[in-house]
Amino acid sequence: MDHPSPFTAALPDGLDLPLEVRVHGRGGQGGVTCAKLIAALFTQMGLYVQTFGDYGSERSGAPVQAYTRVDRSPINNRNKVYRPNHLIVLDEGLLGPQILEGVAPGSLLLLNSHAGLESYAGRFERYRFGVVDATTIAREQGIGSSAVVIINTTILGAYARLLGLPLSVLEKAYASQGVDGDLPAAQHAYEQVRGRDALEGGDGTPSAAAPAAAAVAAMLSHSQDFPASLKTGSWSNQAPVYGEHPAPCNIGCPAGNDVVGFVQALRSGGVEEAAAILLKTQPLPSVCGRVCPAPCMQACNRHAFDGAVNIRSLERWIGDRCSLELVPQPAEKPRRIAVVGGGPAGLSAAFQLAHGGHKVTIFEAGPALGGVLRSGIPLFRLPDDALQRDLGRILRLGVEVQCNARVDKTGLQRLTREFDGAIVATGFGPAFGLGAEGETLAGVEQGLDFLDRAKQGGVALEGTVVVVGGGNSAIDCARTALRCGASAVKLVYRRSRQDMPAIAEEIEDALHEGVELLQHRQPVAFTGESKVTAATIAEVEPGPPDASGRRRPVVTARTAKLDCGTVLLALGQKSGLEFLPEGWTMREGRAFKGGEALPVWFAGDCATADGTVTHAIGNGRRAAEAVLGGDLLPGRMPEGMPVAPGQIRFSHFEVAPQHADREIAPSLLKGNFAEVNLGLTGPEEAQRCFSCGHCTRCDTCLVSCPEGVILRMEDGYNIDSAYCKGCGMCVAECPRGAMEMHTKQEAGA
Amino acid sequence: MTMQLLSANHGAALAATLAARANRFGRGFCSGVYPITPSTECMEYLCQQKIEKGRVIRVESEHSAMGVCIGTAAAGARTFTATSSNGLAYMYENCIAAAALRLPVVMAVANRTMGPPWNIWADHSDALTLRDHGLIQFYCADNQELFDTVLAAFRLAEDRRVMMPAMVCMEGFILSHTVAQTEIPEQEKVDRFLPPTDIPHRLGTTPHTLGQIEIPHQTEVHRWQHHLAMLEVPDVYAQVQYEFEAVFGRSLDDAVVPYRAEDAETLIVSMGTIGATAETVVDMLREAGEKAGALRIRLFRPLPQDAIRTVYAGKKHIAVIDRNIGLGLGGVLWTDTRCLADSGTVVQNYLAGLGGGDVRPEHIVKMLTDLKPRKVAGPPVMMEAV
């Protein structure tokens, strides 16, 4: 074959031929092209070249080798390069003893590394060693993508410098391969590479001291059986990790219940196992399982698939059936705590403290425990035995109760001295009125007072009843009024049905029972002699938006008269801390006198005005923690990003509609206070829980791993990192977002 | 003439492209292609070329790829395709069809182990399955030789006295993917070297059937005609070599390539890139005073028996290295050529590089160490290229 090409560059001094170069890189980094560029470089000097990659099960990230040979005569040898004179390592994560196989002392070793030459002091001393941060240079020059930077055209600049070649020899070589646009990057590397000579002897040619190529095996029999061990774990720089992520139901629960925990426990272990989890934070499961607005169900990811899990009724199932007897834990330093108010917040605080081994006394102003549970929620929603079941469990922890024991200013100060701490959980203050003409007429009363009377029994109504309001109390009043004998009940609300804060199912039930809803209406006056006989109802328009963006209702002058014999007002309540002693202020749930923090905390509606039983329960628990810790009681902390519907693999699950509550449609309402909602017939609904962000050991990861390197262990799974190629199938297939990919910190780790 | 850094795959595709353009004066060019490792690069490169009066058609399988070539060759076009191992196996019956129909399809085969189990590396067994079906077979050892042989294959296959498919083989990755300087001639020179394709039995304006049913006597005649045509190939090839050198100013290697073999006592015989490694070993041994020589078989079918017999004559020991195995008997090069040696010569078979192992000079040295004391040939020896 004729001479390959005219000289355009001179051979650098001290370069011995034949020359063998070996490049180590990772698939996708441009290692093979790097070797080819080296070949193109040497063709400028009129030499014969040969270059090729070592092909195997290559894929992006897997270790890859490429070779280049250079000589003055045609190259016959097509073996791989076993004794390289020059070794170029494109990724410092590949450094290891194996990479230096066959490299004689004095050979050139060029490394792409972010660390400087000093970091390699004492290492690779037998070689002529050079290091350059080609990755940073190439990234700045925009070669490749920011995730996969291509460094071959950059590092060649450093190579040329170490060989003592002028940068100009790269120009023709790069032009011949169509990469002359990368010359600036090569120039940076040319300038920035740092090198040092070999510290021990050796001139770079393979000597007898160099490790020989692998010995040729005996010819007459097998020397090794297969399969060859191929530790593919080194191919990846990412690894899957099992992680627990917050479920949206947990994040959404104001009581801080471990919802996904108790539902999964019900599913796999049964009622008692579920109760053990639920009762940690929830002392009133039979109550909440009936009356909670269930924000967990609104947050439930299954809502985006075939309907939210009926969590509320699952909680009821557990609360109504569990026989778990809780035992007070021994406390290191038992305290004596006074709880003012026997409603949900006070009960929750007392429950936590008593379970923790502390001595608790509840001071309840009314004749019995319960607060709004006792007086405000009707029997057809919360039967007495359900309330008693939950109260009994609390009392059996040794909580002392004093009923008919209203605490005033003096009393509170006395309690502060007599006990180690006090929790004030007195709930809301007085109810709002309308401020309308005729409001003082007989027959116009506050809804809460009506509900309390009705619960004690013997309230009879007749004619049309007007209920004003849109919250749960208004709905309760309306439905109770029907049962007390009203011939018609009109629920008057100034906004629309969608705006009503009451639980949607309750509104539905009310309408089903015959309550008539008058939207965008408000009473502006009541008329009658001594007793109310009619209400003047005005039309209400949504007005211009206020600062929060919500449109403020505007009462118009268009009115109509509505005959009625009873008006029930359910407009909400003011905050109720009027009985605080002088000089006391509440800050972040704790009482302060001037600057001094007092051993008095506030829990429930009196502190936060959240307005639901479940909020009160959560707040009461945190108040108990604050008492024991001597802390302030700030609001609920955000607990991290919940698993989103997009992270759940819906295709893994079969469509299964929600098990709905059984409801009795009473044919005769009058005098019928029996429970309307009978809940579920069984706990199968728990099967529908996705277990968002929490591994259920469903084996999907194990089955989908193409390498078969996921093993079931006693308490979870183990992934064999020696073989895991980081393909991410397990993470993608996990039905419930309980896995994620992490970048490995160390190469080959 | 330009010098380009090309892999052998790309070289084959470029040679086919130049040949394709040369037939713009004839009935054009057509190629049916399908990818398979380690041949894919070749068809990819071909697909990117602009060919006046030509088409490269990507089909859904290798079987169809050869189908396209058969159809368009039957219409008188110059044709080409590229494949490997299991792709060649899928193409198999159509390769036999192309041969039996006496159509001059040129194929670039990147030799690869047959699977499963899947093995992507070099092994000659794939092409050797077609040994007996009337296709010309070349085995190349370097990039320039591969390029030149593909060019020459068109001339040889399309010669009226030959008129059959020609396979030009290169070992997968070792040659197919290795990049080296390759001299590329100008189109005008290729135009001169390759006259327009002229297939006497092509489908023309008179409709007729190509490849009908035939009775035993007709098969006897056809097989014998085909065989005789193959026996003409060495003479035609010599003429092609002459024309090649006249046009391109470079020589095309002979059908067999001896290296320091004339006075050798020990001969190393092989095909493909192992031949180049053998020459390195011969130099080493000669340096040490041993009378060693090598013979690289370039044209395997038809087997150049006379040329081989001439080189085998007078040798004491012959090591035949096969990167393949005819299971149940031994390496194919050994079984095909051992009878061509003198009766007293020890012709020993060494199987090396099966499945793609890297055959190094040390392996060949070991073979000769084993061969030296032998007085008679033994069964084939399997060498593990670890």
Side-chain angles (χ1 to χ4, degrees):
Chain A
M1 185 175 154
D2 288 349
H3 209 280
S5 68
F7 285 82
T8 59
L11 204 63
D13 294 332
L15 188 74
D16 274 333
L17 296 175
L19 172 68
E20 292 192 316
V21 183
R22 191 165 77 204
V23 179
H24 289 264
R26 287 193 185 274
Q29 263 187 334
V32 174
T33 305
C34 186
K36 188 175 178 184
L37 286 168
I38 294 174
L41 172 64
F42 284 108
T43 60
Q44 305 305 314
M45 297 169 214
L47 299 166
Y48 290 88
V49 296
Q50 176 202 81
T51 176
F52 56 104
D54 189 356
Y55 290 87
S57 315
E58 67 275 350
R59 46 148 272 177
S60 190
V64 158
Q65 293 183 30
Y67 316 103
T68 298
R69 285 196 173 85
V70 186
D71 205 353
R72 285 194 181 80
S73 48
I75 299 165
N76 262 353
N77 182 10
R78 286 177 188 278
N79 299 144
K80 301 174 194 184
V81 171
Y82 295 99
R83 282 183 273 268
N85 309 107
H86 297 173
L87 193 74
I88 303 185
V89 182
L90 303 182
D91 181 335
E92 57 190 316
L94 294 165
L95 278 179
Q98 276 189 321
I99 220 176
L100 294 170
E101 260 179 37
V103 185
S107 304
L108 173 66
L109 168 56
L110 172 58
L111 174 66
N112 169 35
S113 171
H114 191 60
L117 187 60
E118 320 74 45
S119 311
Y120 294 94
R123 297 180 70 189
F124 311 118
E125 287 182 333
R126 288 145 49 92
Y127 312 102
R128 273 196 68 212
F129 181 66
V131 64
V132 65
D133 189 356
T135 305
T136 300
I137 297 170
R139 184 177 284 127
E140 281 165 6
Q141 294 288 319
I143 305 176
S145 70
S146 61
V148 183
V149 181
I150 307 292
I151 61 159
N152 48 17
T153 46
T154 303
I155 203 169
L156 233 69
Y159 182 65
R161 178 73 180 277
L162 291 176
L163 290 188
L165 291 167
L167 191 61
S168 52
V169 299
L170 290 183
E171 288 171 13
K172 277 235 166 70
Y174 277 31
S176 76
Q177 299 303 308
V179 292
D180 31 333
D182 292 352
L183 278 169
Q187 178 162 358
H188 284 297
Y190 189 91
E191 290 158 6
Q192 291 179 26
V193 64
R194 295 283 168 270
R196 59 162 195 257
D197 284 324
L199 295 186
E200 292 167 33
D203 59 356
T205 52
S207 64
V216 173
M219 295 192 299
L220 296 177
S221 61
H222 273 313
S223 63
Q224 71 180 33
D225 204 348
F226 38 84
S229 157
L230 187 61
K231 293 268 164 87
T232 50
S234 69
W235 289 14
S236 77
N237 58 0
Q238 281 195 320
V241 166
Y242 293 91
E244 299 234 312
H245 300 93
C249 47
N250 284 26
I251 300 269
C253 176
N257 292 333
D258 182 4
V259 180
V260 67
F262 79 71
V263 172
Q264 287 297 315
L266 178 63
R267 172 191 187 161
S268 56
V271 167
E272 300 305 326
E273 223 179 272
I277 295 173
L278 178 58
L279 290 174
K280 279 197 186 127
T281 52
Q282 169 61 285
L284 302 164
S286 291
V287 169
C288 286
R290 288 168 166 80
V291 308
C292 182
C296 55
M297 289 173 67
Q298 284 156 48
C300 177
N301 278 331
R302 194 133 189 173
H303 175 66
F305 181 51
D306 57 6
V309 176
N310 193 344
I311 303 170
R312 182 198 296 121
S313 291
L314 284 174
E315 182 180 31
R316 172 180 169 162
W317 181 270
I318 298 165
D320 286 357
R321 277 160 194 78
C322 72
S323 51
L324 186 63
E325 274 308 314
L326 296 166
V327 175
Q329 308 299 298
E332 229 183 74
K333 279 194 331 178
R335 315 266 205 87
R336 295 180 59 248
I337 311 292
V339 175
V340 181
L347 288 167
S348 176
F351 172 81
Q352 296 294 338
L353 291 166
H355 189 245
H358 303 279
K359 207 83 197 65
V360 184
T361 308
I362 298 179
F363 296 90
E364 165 57 42
L369 285 177
V372 71
L373 306 176
R374 172 81 56 191
S375 65
I377 301 183
L379 290 171
F380 57 83
R381 284 184 67 212
L382 182 60
D384 209 36
D385 60 347
L387 177 59
Q388 277 308 125
R389 183 178 308 120
D390 282 348
L391 290 177
R393 195 186 297 112
I394 298 171
L395 294 172
R396 283 194 296 279
L397 283 170
V399 174
E400 256 187 48
V401 178
Q402 290 185 27
C403 290
N404 299 307
R406 178 172 291 280
V407 173
D408 60 8
K409 288 183 200 184
T410 328
L412 185 53
Q413 284 166 313
R414 181 172 48 80
L415 289 178
T416 313
R417 291 189 299 271
E418 289 177 9
F419 287 81
D420 296 324
I423 296 178
V424 174
T426 48
F428 278 120
F432 287 112
L434 262 182
E437 200 185 308
E439 199 165 325
T440 51
L441 286 169
V444 178
E445 80 176 298
Q446 282 294 334
L448 285 177
D449 294 336
F450 165 73
L451 288 173
D452 194 8
R453 287 193 301 120
K455 212 159 175 188
Q456 286 163 51
V459 173
L461 296 177
E462 54 183 21
T464 302
V465 174
V466 167
V467 179
V468 188
N472 286 316
S473 293
I475 301 292
D476 288 343
C477 286
R479 296 172 73 189
T480 303
L482 281 175
R483 284 160 174 80
C484 287
S487 58
V489 174
K490 309 227 190 249
L491 182 56
V492 177
Y493 184 54
R494 60 185 186 156
R495 287 189 160 93
S496 71
R497 177 178 170 176
Q498 286 73 35
D499 296 322
M500 291 172 74
I503 298 172
E505 290 95 310
E506 301 294 325
I507 301 173
E508 188 62 46
D509 286 344
L511 296 174
H512 198 63
E513 286 175 358
V515 172
E516 199 186 321
L517 175 60
L518 303 179
Q519 302 176 68
H520 301 293
R521 297 287 186 277
Q522 181 167 310
V524 292
F526 303 104
T527 46
E529 288 293 321
S530 53
K531 208 177 162 309
V532 65
T533 52
T536 309
I537 311 289
E539 287 178 26
V540 180
E541 278 173 354
D546 63 11
S548 73
R550 218 164 157 234
R551 305 184 80 170
R552 297 217 63 217
V554 171
V555 180
T556 69
R558 300 187 292 279
T559 61
K561 262 219 166 111
L562 178 57
D563 291 333
C564 58
T566 308
V567 176
L568 301 174
L569 303 175
L571 305 164
Q573 296 162 274
K574 303 175 186 154
S575 76
L577 287 177
E578 292 88 13
F579 70 102
L580 279 187
E582 279 86 35
W584 286 30
T585 52
M586 181 182 73
R587 187 157 61 83
E588 291 194 68
R590 191 161 178 183
F592 283 80
K593 188 171 179 183
E596 184 202 346
L598 301 171
V600 178
W601 286 261
F602 299 89
D605 284 335
C606 71
T608 66
D610 284 316
T612 76
V613 173
T614 329
H615 279 90
I617 289 170
N619 200 245
R621 176 171 60 83
R622 283 186 282 276
E625 287 166 10
V627 167
L628 296 176
D631 290 331
L632 301 175
L633 212 191
R636 286 180 67 209
M637 301 297 189
E639 289 162 49
M641 292 286 291
V643 174
Q647 293 169 272
I648 303 296
R649 274 198 62 235
F650 289 153
S651 56
H652 184 88
F653 299 95
E654 282 187 29
V655 172
Q658 187 198 73
H659 294 84
D661 297 339
R662 288 164 304 150
E663 292 220 343
I664 296 181
S667 47
L668 187 66
L669 279 179
K670 183 168 178 180
N672 185 349
F673 285 84
E675 190 172 15
V676 170
N677 183 333
L678 299 182
L680 297 167
T681 55
E684 300 80 33
E685 179 67 3
Q687 305 287 334
R688 294 180 71 246
C689 169
F690 286 150
S691 187
C692 303
H694 294 260
C695 175
T696 58
R697 309 237 287 152
C698 69
D699 283 357
T700 301
C701 54
L702 184 152
V703 163
S704 61
C705 173
E707 303 299 318
V709 297
I710 300 183
L711 303 166
R712 255 186 103 94
M713 310 292 280
E714 232 177 71
D715 57 349
Y717 295 97
N718 182 59
I719 300 178
D720 190 345
S721 57
Y723 290 96
C724 168
K725 293 217 284 282
C727 73
M729 286 279 280
C730 52
V731 173
E733 292 288 330
C734 175
R736 43 196 53 87
M739 298 183 75
E740 57 193 14
M741 294 300 282
H742 282 188
T743 305
K744 287 183 186 169
Q745 291 310 312
E746 298 158 27
Chain B
M1 191 269 285
T2 59
M3 186 68 75
Q4 291 189 34
L5 268 184
L6 286 177
S7 66
N9 262 337
H10 285 179
L14 188 49
T17 303
L18 294 170
R21 293 189 184 129
N23 211 38
R24 66 194 183 281
F25 304 116
R27 293 173 70 79
F29 172 83
C30 191
S31 173
V33 289
Y34 190 82
I36 183 169
T37 305
S39 169
T40 302
E41 275 193 333
C42 178
M43 58 80 76
E44 279 179 346
Y45 192 92
L46 187 63
C47 285
Q48 289 164 6
Q49 304 311 309
K50 288 192 169 38
I51 301 170
E52 185 188 329
K53 205 172 188 179
R55 281 193 63 188
V56 179
I57 304 179
R58 289 167 296 171
V59 289
E60 87 296 353
S61 77
E62 288 90 345
H63 186 273
S64 295
M66 184 53 80
V68 166
C69 293
I70 290 173
T72 47
R78 181 164 286 156
T79 55
F80 173 82
T81 189
T83 189
S84 168
S85 63
N86 287 60
L88 184 64
Y90 200 179
M91 202 185 264
Y92 194 72
E93 69 164 348
N94 274 349
C95 294
I96 299 174
L101 294 178
R102 304 296 297 275
L103 297 169
V105 181
V106 172
M107 301 168 62
V109 178
N111 299 117
R112 166 186 162 183
T113 314
M114 290 294 300
W118 300 114
N119 176 323
I120 57 172
W121 297 282
D123 189 294
H124 284 140
S125 300
D126 59 352
L128 289 171
T129 57
L130 280 168
R131 178 188 66 168
D132 300 330
H133 288 287
L135 292 86
I136 297 168
Q137 291 197 355
F138 285 100
Y139 289 80
C140 298
D142 73 60
N143 295 48
Q144 188 69 60
E145 179 193 343
L146 190 283
F147 176 87
D148 290 346
T149 307
V150 171
L151 263 188
F154 285 101
R155 172 67 185 84
L156 177 63
E158 291 173 13
D159 191 290
R160 275 212 178 213
R161 297 162 283 179
V162 176
M163 203 51 68
M164 66 186 74
M167 297 169 64
V168 184
C169 301
M170 57 186 127
E171 279 136 305
F173 294 118
I174 302 176
L175 188 48
S176 71
H177 279 63
T178 303
V179 172
Q181 291 123 313
T182 316
E183 221 182 87
I184 310 296
E186 303 93 303
Q187 184 66 52
E188 304 89 72
K189 292 208 169 132
V190 179
D191 292 349
R192 261 198 287 149
F193 178 64
L194 293 178
T197 313
D198 182 16
I199 299 171
H201 51 293
R202 73 168 180 274
L203 301 170
T205 47
T206 311
H208 62 273
T209 309
L210 209 58
Q212 242 277 49
I213 194 166
E214 66 176 10
I215 56 174
H217 178 62
Q218 289 170 309
T219 303
E220 289 172 352
V221 172
H222 283 146
R223 289 294 177 268
W224 194 245
Q225 281 177 342
H226 197 155
H227 176 66
L228 292 177
M230 281 209 108
L231 295 181
E232 294 241 33
V233 165
D235 286 341
V236 179
Y237 181 68
Q239 187 176 337
V240 172
Q241 281 178 289
Y242 176 80
E243 291 171 14
F244 190 95
E245 183 152 8
V247 171
F248 298 117
R250 264 180 312 139
S251 61
L252 186 64
D253 281 328
D254 287 341
V256 303
V257 182
Y259 184 75
R260 303 177 86 168
E262 231 182 281
D263 66 331
E265 288 176 354
T266 306
L267 186 68
I268 310 168
V269 184
S270 62
M271 293 201 298
T273 59
I274 295 179
T277 311
E279 291 175 11
T280 309
V281 174
V282 164
D283 286 341
M284 278 167 51
L285 294 172
R286 285 275 179 178
E287 204 76 6
E290 285 201 39
K291 289 192 164 176
L295 178 66
R296 184 165 67 85
I297 312 293
R298 223 172 81 71
L299 177 68
F300 178 68
R301 273 301 181 274
L303 190 67
Q305 297 183 71
D306 291 335
I308 296 172
R309 191 178 289 115
T310 308
V311 182
Y312 275 22
K315 303 293 179 283
K316 285 216 188 100
H317 286 107
I318 299 181
V320 182
I321 308 179
D322 271 293
R323 194 195 275 275
N324 67 80
I325 180 169
L327 291 160
L329 183 55
V332 174
L333 191 57
W334 176 68
T335 56
D336 272 11
T337 65
R338 59 183 168 160
C339 57
L340 300 172
D342 298 341
S343 57
T345 309
V346 176
V347 185
Q348 178 61 44
N349 191 204
Y350 295 94
L351 309 165
L354 261 61
D358 200 18
V359 178
R360 302 193 291 283
E362 305 91 89
H363 294 111
I364 300 183
V365 168
K366 270 262 176 164
M367 289 175 201
L368 298 183
T369 310
D370 169 84
L371 180 56
K372 198 157 183 184
R374 284 184 188 257
K375 299 276 191 290
V376 290
V381 170
M382 171 69 97
M383 178 128 240
E384 293 182 18
V386 290

